[in-house]
Amino acid sequence: MEKITAFQIMAGMLLLVLGIVLLKQKSQIVWNFLVRSVLGAICILFTNDFLAAQGIAVAVGLNPVSLLTVGTLGFGGFSALYGILFTQFL
């Protein structure tokens, strides 16, 4: 009976450690997405202002789709949004 109890305690501790590690990784992913979204929104605002000051009529709108793109892809998503608009501008 003691071996079974010891095994159950060890298995419970292993599951607890694995659970903590998984929660930490998921929170890191969510935190990374939020930071990318906020920084991406700031970059979009500054880029839109800069392009307007230069007289270029290209502006990416701040909406959930653009924030999702920038939050997921980072700088690649930011570049893709402006790349799509510049190809339409031609």
Side-chain angles (χ1 to χ4, degrees), residues 5-37:
T5 305
F7 179 73
Q8 289 174 344
I9 291 172
M10 287 175 41
M13 290 172 55
L14 176 67
L15 288 175
L16 180 66
V17 169
L18 286 175
I20 290 170
V21 169
L22 287 176
L23 286 175
K24 184 177 179 183
Q25 287 178 349
K26 287 183 181 182
S27 69
Q28 178 113 17
I29 292 169
V30 170
W31 179 252
N32 192 8
F33 175 79
L34 290 174
V35 169
R36 284 185 190 176
S37 295

Side-chain angles (χ1 to χ4, degrees), residues 52-66:
Q54 298 299 319
I56 301 172
V58 173
V60 172
L62 281 178
N63 55 42
V65 175
S66 64

Side-chain angles (χ1 to χ4, degrees), residues 28-89:
Q28 178 113 17
I29 292 169
V30 170
W31 179 252
N32 192 8
F33 175 79
L34 290 174
V35 169
R36 284 185 190 176
S37 295
V38 169
L39 291 177
I42 292 169
C43 288
I44 288 172
L45 288 173
F46 283 132
T47 305
N48 285 345
D49 288 341
F50 175 76
L51 292 175
Q54 298 299 319
I56 301 172
V58 173
V60 172
L62 281 178
N63 55 42
V65 175
S66 64
L67 291 178
L68 182 66
T69 302
V70 173
T72 304
L73 300 176
F75 183 73
F78 176 80
S79 301
L81 290 171
Y82 279 99
I84 291 168
L85 285 180
F86 276 116
T87 57
Q88 290 177 354
F89 185 70

